[in-house]
Amino acid sequence: MPIASPEVYAEMLDRAKAGRYAYPAINVTSSQTLNAALKGFADAESDGIIQVSTGGAEYLSGPSIKDMVSGAVAFAAYAREVAKNYPVNIALHTDHCPKDKLDKFVRPLMQISKERVARGEEPLFQSHMWDGSAVPVAENLEIAAGLLDEAAQAKIVLEIEVGVVGGEEDGVENAINDKLYTTISDGLAMVEALGLGEKGRYMAALTFGNVHGVYKPGNVKLRPEILREIQDAVAAKYGKDKPLSLVFHGGSGSLLSEIREALDYGVVKMNIDTDTQYCFTRPVADHMLRNYDGVLKVDGEVGNKKLYDPRVWGKQAEAGMAQRVVEACEHLRSTGTKLGK
């Protein structure tokens, strides 16, 4: 199947909320991690979301080039070609973009999509994230309103963050404290500024104790009931049942019961990065340690090409990551839900 059209993406998100499941949104940084994510979704018979951060896009452009837009465009072009061979729908997304990178990343990419749509083509990406968690809520929502208008013109879904995710990602670090919980007033202010779809479609990453990084299950203090309270408050004011499409950031260290509870309250997308990074790297480390004298030219020997060929250990890395994507689909209840099945 091809990369999801705007209409297919909308159907994916609607079905997820109605069915109380979410799509894993897998961060990738290379063709190998992209291929691993695609295989994982196909094995799980789940549609899915594949995304790049600003740092991931920069890396994809080449280590000496470091051009976020170039890397993102290259990623989208490659993904559009290889995704044709898999029996699932895939949406392409750009992850956290703070204020100082909007003009270097999201806005240029949106402009490319607007030009593509004007020519009768599909947008380059299906959704983009504006991360305004580091600025006051009023400024966050003012910027979001402008971006939502641009996104609607390009048939793109906007993702925003209202609240703060703790921990560190792409060099941005936030303390773990009471600021990690979005308030009901924040949620109502968001809807007042952005509407409920009439101004353009958006997803909201409301925070309920989420933390980026590496944490053992139980160490993160999540309060998923905050999502229910905000949904209920918006529903009461606007007369719509579960009106918000929500995003779960910083899932490492979350209990499965907490993840499933968040799905019940309208989460349709959950970012997965730390765990898939480990599951990609772990088989490589195992291969290198088990075949030390084959992958290196020890004591003047020539090594073993069949062991240091990047395709050999690369396949193991991709298989490890793909299996973690399958597990993510199971956790998020998206297994076997692909459109058209």
Side-chain angles (χ1 to χ4, degrees):
M1 293 182 186
I3 294 298
S5 66
E7 295 75 20
V8 167
Y9 193 30
E11 184 180 355
M12 285 169 57
L13 298 177
D14 288 342
R15 282 179 43 148
K17 186 161 66 169
R20 296 176 181 261
Y21 62 87
Y23 298 107
I26 307 299
N27 280 76
V28 302
T29 54
S30 65
S31 60
Q32 285 185 300
T33 50
L34 169 62
N35 287 331
L38 288 170
K39 185 178 187 306
F41 284 124
D43 288 349
E45 296 191 317
S46 169
D47 300 321
I49 300 169
I50 296 178
Q51 60 190 24
V52 288
S53 65
T54 55
E58 185 179 87
Y59 181 76
L60 279 158
S61 74
S64 64
I65 304 301
K66 299 183 178 181
D67 184 313
M68 293 181 288
V69 172
S70 177
V73 171
F75 155 75
Y78 182 81
R80 192 168 293 276
E81 185 59 35
V82 296
K84 295 175 183 177
N85 301 312
Y86 291 87
V88 289
N89 296 286
I90 299 296
L92 304 181
H93 176 80
T94 61
D95 201 9
H96 293 267
C97 181
K99 182 180 177 181
D100 64 337
K101 293 181 179 177
L102 279 175
D103 290 338
K104 306 172 188 174
F105 191 53
V106 164
R107 287 195 174 107
L109 291 173
M110 279 191 177
Q111 182 58 37
I112 291 172
S113 285
K114 281 194 281 187
E115 292 169 0
R116 288 171 62 96
V117 169
R119 296 193 300 265
E121 302 172 13
E122 303 287 359
L124 187 66
F125 282 82
Q126 285 62 62
S127 51
H128 292 293
M129 184 194 175
W130 146 237
D131 184 353
S133 61
V135 303
V137 172
E139 182 183 1
N140 180 356
L141 295 178
E142 181 181 2
I143 293 172
L147 291 170
L148 183 60
D149 182 61
E150 291 186 61
Q153 294 176 45
K155 299 184 178 180
I156 290 169
V157 177
L158 181 69
E159 179 183 329
I160 69 167
E161 184 170 308
V162 180
V164 177
V165 175
E168 188 273 334
E169 181 170 9
D170 261 7
V172 178
E173 186 167 0
N174 292 308
I176 300 174
N177 53 36
D178 289 342
K179 292 182 180 180
L180 304 187
Y181 304 95
T182 306
T183 65
I184 290 176
S185 61
D186 289 340
L188 290 171
M190 175 186 73
V191 175
E192 184 175 342
L194 305 181
L196 286 173
E198 69 277 8
K199 298 180 182 180
R201 183 155 191 158
Y202 67 94
M203 298 180 283
L206 305 181
T207 57
F208 50 102
N210 318 58
V211 179
H212 289 136
V214 184
Y215 298 88
K216 291 183 178 180
N219 285 2
V220 177
K221 306 304 179 184
L222 292 181
R223 294 173 52 200
E225 68 274 10
I226 286 176
L227 303 181
R228 182 195 66 227
E229 293 165 0
I230 294 174
Q231 287 276 29
D232 289 349
V234 175
K237 183 172 181 178
Y238 294 92
K240 293 186 176 182
D241 180 48
K242 202 159 64 173
L244 302 174
S245 294
L246 303 178
V247 180
F248 190 149
H249 286 185
S252 296
S254 304
L255 299 173
L256 181 58
S257 59
E258 295 170 330
I259 293 172
R260 293 275 175 83
E261 185 179 357
L263 302 184
D264 292 339
Y265 302 148
V267 166
V268 297
K269 171 180 180 282
M270 180 174 175
N271 292 4
I272 313 286
D273 188 15
T274 300
D275 290 354
T276 45
Q277 286 180 350
Y278 179 80
C279 290
F280 184 86
T281 301
R282 178 65 177 80
V284 179
D286 182 73
H287 177 82
M288 299 303 172
L289 291 172
R290 289 178 182 275
N291 300 286
Y292 183 83
D293 58 350
V295 298
L296 295 179
K297 297 180 179 181
V298 178
D299 296 330
E301 294 296 327
V302 296
N304 185 340
K305 184 179 184 299
K306 292 182 179 179
L307 293 175
Y308 61 72
D309 183 337
R311 290 170 294 183
V312 174
W313 49 264
K315 288 176 183 177
Q316 297 175 42
E318 291 177 35
M321 180 173 163
Q323 184 54 48
R324 183 61 182 85
V325 173
V326 170
E327 182 181 304
C329 292
E330 293 170 353
H331 288 173
L332 299 184
R333 303 177 181 147
S334 73
T335 302
T337 64
K338 68 177 184 177
L339 299 185
K341 184 180 178 185

